[in-house]
Amino acid sequence: MPTLTIDNQTVTVPDGTNVLEAAQQLGIVIPHFCYHEALGAVGSCRLCAMKFEQGPVKGIEMACMVQAQDGMVVSTVDAEAQELRAAVIEWLMLNHPHDCPVCDEGGECQLQDMTIAGGHGIRRYRGKKRTWINQDLGPFIEQEMNRCIQCYRCVRTYRDYCGGDDFGVMGSRNRVFFGRFKEGKLESPFSGNLADVCPTGVFTDKTCRFRSRSWDLQEAASICPHCSLGCSVIPGARYRELQRVRSGINRQTNGFFICDRGRFGYGHVNHPERPRTPKLQGADAAWPEALQLARRRLTDIAAKVGPEAIALLGSPRASLESLALLHDWAKQLGGARFCGDPQPGRDRAARQLTALLGSRARSLEDVRRSDCLLLVGSDPLNEAPLLGLAVRQAARRGARVIVIDPRPVELPCNFQRLSTGPEELPQRLEHLVSTTEPTDDLSTLRTLLHQAERPILCGGGDLLGEVGIRQLAAAADHFGTGLFVTLGGPNSYGAALLSGDGPDADQLCEEMLAGKIRALVCLENDPLADGPQRMARALGKLEFLLILDHAPNRLSRQADVFLPTTTVAEGSGTLVNNEGRMLSFSTVFNPGIPLGISSEGGHPPRSFSPTTAGGEPRPAWAVLAQLRGENQSPEMIRRKLEGRDSRFAGLSLLDPDGEGQRVRGGGHPAGSHDQSFPHPAPEGSLPLLVVEQLFGSEQLASLSPALDAVQPDPQVLLHPETAAARGLKEGDTIALHTELETFSLQLKLNAAMTPGLLLATRLRDTPLELFAPGSPTPCLVGKGGGDA
Amino acid sequence: MNELLPQPEHDHFRAKAAASEHPRELIIDLLRAIQEHHGWVPDEGVELTAEILGLSPLQVEEIATFYDKIFRRPVGRKVIHYCDSICCWATGGEQVAAHLQQKLGIGPGETTADGAFTLLPSCCLGACGDAPAMMIELKLYGRLTPEKIDAALEKEKD
């Protein structure tokens, strides 16, 4: 812990801290471009010059390249150092155009700040500036190369940190160009980070180009709702429209970066078909009327048939506050049925995880620092992209990465692949911990896990399921490793904690079909898309259906009562991520029809009214409180929840800008599952495994127009050997007959996947949406057939 | 000249890349081999190099565009590199450049109408002792005078 003096102030910093960081700890900001906390220091921009007056280093040095040492006396205000910084920034600015008024970065431009901070205010250069022809880099990132000051942050982010290989730097000396070999979409799923790291307007977010000035945006710390990792994000809204999302900083979860699904999946908030008014059987209604009817029907059913005739179905995308109220309401009604997740497989997996995680819980930061990672049934880049990025950081530090998965999993780093069938995952895990077979292909893996200092077993909840997670936790116990399992949604963990050993959606379905459950309340879920397959039939048996949601919901017309709720960006609350970390988000803006829609691009409407058009959606917790006839605030809900359930202690003190806090104590696995008649697979059938993909699977992001351009085509994957054995070839249209549906898809061959398996992506608004992700279904394959 | 790389060389580089721990190190050799046969390196040459070495075209392009002796645009049958670095400048390099331009009727970076010569400035040819110097293809001409330049051009003209 060296102690040094900077500008007459003394500071003690951890070993390995550089002088620039030490100065930052004192609140002294020195202009810099190439240094970035996540990327490190390279000393290339020559801006952070300080004068080292006493101690082991003497003279003017780049502060980011000098490690803090005892006895150093450093000056940032030394005349010589200041003069040097002013000269360097003037050189950097030689070719920079005077286009700040039309530049999207204006107002949040680090170059503007650093130029002034560096002491360069007046341009002396009168020569010609070098100019470039820009490239079209696809739907996400806009390039304006003339503004480049060659700080190399983009390449260090895209190539070094994120592992992309289609973007880089070309040329030499004063004519370097940052871009692609040829125009085209940036291939990395982390390409959007270029807009965040570029200190000026070379790379900007194309989806909000020329829309807003940064100071006009309403911004607040929020949490990404597009997977279970709970990355910190800062959405920005203007004119009632969510216009962009940039990465927030949480050193325990995402660090400094987010994936393109999280960044460009925001369009669901502005969706033109988003339900914004309460509806009674599809017809618009007023709030008081709708609330009253819903309350009356539910109390009637509870009184007439009993509280067990009411089912309350939560969702992994609902906030902890809403779920807690829903859960509490079940008790208040005298024992209504509560379940936190409409998807039974994912629900059971999540509950199993909450019961077993305990002290094995690891964060993404722990993954980044791990020295041995075993991924079982986990496809990070498709299921939870930031996990892929964290795995890469571990690999860059020398960690071994091993993947056991039936899919052709890709990672942005080197790894070893052990292929396996989807139903064999639990067996593979069982073999891994058994000591009787020392010479199989898992023996090296065992040695690696034993020898590693910070090993972590990573899993995907979809493929592992309840049983697999149990096995994975047993393996983690056996080898003494950490555990990191991704789940279905941003609050799967919270929903699972509340569900405990209560019924799952399968059981609710059964009770609905048996006529035991007469009323269903769905909180922010679409049970037809994400519920059990027999949900459609079960819904027909209901007397009363109440839906609360903010996304266009298939049931919004069919429901007896539909109540519109707000999105994550339009409210505050808490989400519990896959490692049990409670993360709070704050309100970015209030709901309303975006002016861009209501005025059709013209002048905003000139009519005046006391209410905001389309401003009717209310936070789900508020709607639930009103349904219960109470007056609540999120603070009250949080205090009550932590008061009655000590696992959530600290909930009311969470800071949206903080790192969150793990729940204290675990949950319950779901009650024993009565495996209803496992249908024998028909002869000649293959298991069809439907899995999540980066774009097109996650419900909210699939509603974002910005992602339309990258929506994958529906297709089915087969191993070349399996295809050859059945006389099928690449590009064939093949008919797939499953118990649920018959449809056809185009065949693609992939040699990296497990043979004897059909692999398809769960794409929204296709027949594939109906399949539970991760659980294989027997499927007969035929040639030809109609359209998918 | 149309072929990017003859088959034997193609096979040779593939074998070499397979045996190498870091195929990246072959980028320059491969680009130069293509330039040798094709006169310059077109986009297809960059893509072929990437494919043989298992890299992305961009990773090859980064190297190809860094070095000014890898030509990414068509050049004349012979390339004249005249030195514009300090020793040559001090001994009349500017006059050499002017004479070359006047004699060939082209500016730096241009190719004569008959396709015989491309004129490129170069930062030091390593011939400071013989300054001012120029290089036509791989042949060095030092202590240049207008007469020597004329003779060299006459000799090198196909």
Side-chain angles (χ1 to χ4, degrees), chain A residues 155 159 165-173 175 179-182, chain B residues 24 43-44 46-47 55-59 61-62 65-66 68 72:
Chain A
V155 182
R159 289 271 284 273
D165 67 1
D166 62 322
F167 173 92
V169 52
M170 291 160 279
S172 64
R173 48 183 205 133
R175 42 174 185 83
R180 278 171 51 86
F181 175 56
K182 283 181 176 168
Chain B
R24 280 185 77 101
D43 286 357
E44 295 74 27
V46 172
E47 283 160 347
L55 300 166
S56 71
L58 177 101
Q59 287 169 318
E61 180 76 333
E62 288 183 324
T65 54
F66 183 83
D68 65 356
R72 285 286 282 112

Side-chain angles (χ1 to χ4, degrees), chain B:
Chain B
M1 288 282 268
N2 289 330
E3 195 184 23
L4 284 173
L5 199 61
Q7 197 57 44
E9 287 218 43
H10 206 121
D11 298 340
H12 162 76
F13 276 109
R14 265 188 209 285
K16 227 173 153 183
S20 168
E21 202 174 323
H22 306 287
R24 280 185 77 101
E25 66 196 16
L26 296 172
I27 292 178
I28 294 176
D29 293 353
L30 199 38
L31 287 172
R32 289 195 57 178
I34 289 171
Q35 186 159 298
E36 188 101 327
H37 291 280
H38 190 262
W40 59 289
V41 182
D43 286 357
E44 295 74 27
V46 172
E47 283 160 347
L48 177 70
T49 306
E51 191 260 314
I52 291 176
L53 302 181
L55 300 166
S56 71
L58 177 101
Q59 287 169 318
V60 175
E61 180 76 333
E62 288 183 324
I63 305 292
T65 54
F66 183 83
Y67 291 105
D68 65 356
K69 303 223 169 21
I70 301 287
F71 307 131
R72 285 286 282 112
R73 273 188 265 169
V75 290
R77 288 188 293 278
K78 288 188 176 171
V79 179
I80 304 172
H81 303 276
Y82 66 89
C83 177
D84 63 357
S85 195
I86 189 150
C87 292
C88 291
W89 171 78
T91 51
E94 281 172 326
Q95 286 91 312
V96 168
H99 186 78
L100 278 166
Q101 291 180 37
Q102 182 250 320
K103 186 86 189 164
L104 296 169
I106 54 173
E110 291 175 0
T111 302
T112 52
D114 61 357
F117 292 113
T118 294
L119 188 61
L120 291 177
S122 180
C123 178
C124 196
L125 297 168
C128 302
D130 286 329
M134 70 172 180
M135 194 168 82
I136 301 183
E137 289 296 278
L138 292 175
K139 179 147 176 48
L140 187 75
Y141 293 87
R143 299 179 194 254
L144 293 174
T145 59
E147 296 72 37
K148 279 193 180 173
I149 294 174
D150 291 348
L153 290 181
E154 197 51 46
K155 198 177 118 200
E156 294 281 352
K157 206 188 304 176
D158 298 335

Side-chain angles (χ1 to χ4, degrees), chain A residues 544-723:
Chain A
F544 180 69
L545 175 64
L546 165 62
I547 307 260
L548 292 79
D549 205 358
H550 55 74
N553 191 307
R554 251 159 260 231
L555 287 173
S556 59
R557 293 187 174 282
Q558 197 181 323
D560 294 285
V561 179
F562 176 87
L563 302 173
T565 60
T566 54
T567 60
V568 167
E570 295 158 339
S572 65
T574 310
L575 297 167
V576 188
N577 82 351
N578 66 314
E579 40 146 343
R581 183 182 295 274
M582 299 185 286
L583 297 157
S584 69
F585 56 91
S586 34
T587 308
V588 177
F589 72 119
N590 294 319
I593 297 175
L595 284 188
I597 294 179
S598 58
S599 60
E600 288 167 342
H603 191 279
R606 289 184 167 85
S607 56
F608 295 92
S609 91
T611 53
T612 307
E616 290 188 76
R618 297 176 181 177
W621 55 262
V623 180
L624 288 165
Q626 283 156 347
L627 282 168
R628 294 168 50 162
E630 293 164 359
N631 207 353
Q632 297 260 23
S633 72
E635 292 75 25
M636 283 162 67
I637 301 169
R638 286 195 274 268
R639 275 202 297 273
K640 271 191 196 166
L641 178 61
E642 64 182 357
R644 73 166 181 265
D645 190 337
S646 61
R647 293 177 298 180
F648 299 105
L651 175 63
S652 61
L653 300 171
L654 288 180
D655 174 8
D657 290 313
E659 294 185 344
Q661 185 197 308
R662 286 228 180 94
V663 290
R664 294 174 191 172
H668 260 284
S672 70
H673 196 35
D674 150 42
Q675 284 281 343
S676 49
F677 314 108
H679 295 283
E683 203 168 320
S685 73
L686 286 172
L688 167 68
L689 185 63
V690 181
V691 293
E692 291 269 298
Q693 191 149 340
L694 174 63
F695 299 118
S697 297
E698 194 271 320
Q699 189 197 357
L700 296 180
S702 72
L703 297 166
S704 184
L707 296 179
D708 285 351
V710 291
Q711 189 84 0
D713 290 325
Q715 56 183 19
V716 62
L717 261 58
L718 264 185
H719 192 277
E721 284 169 20
T722 319

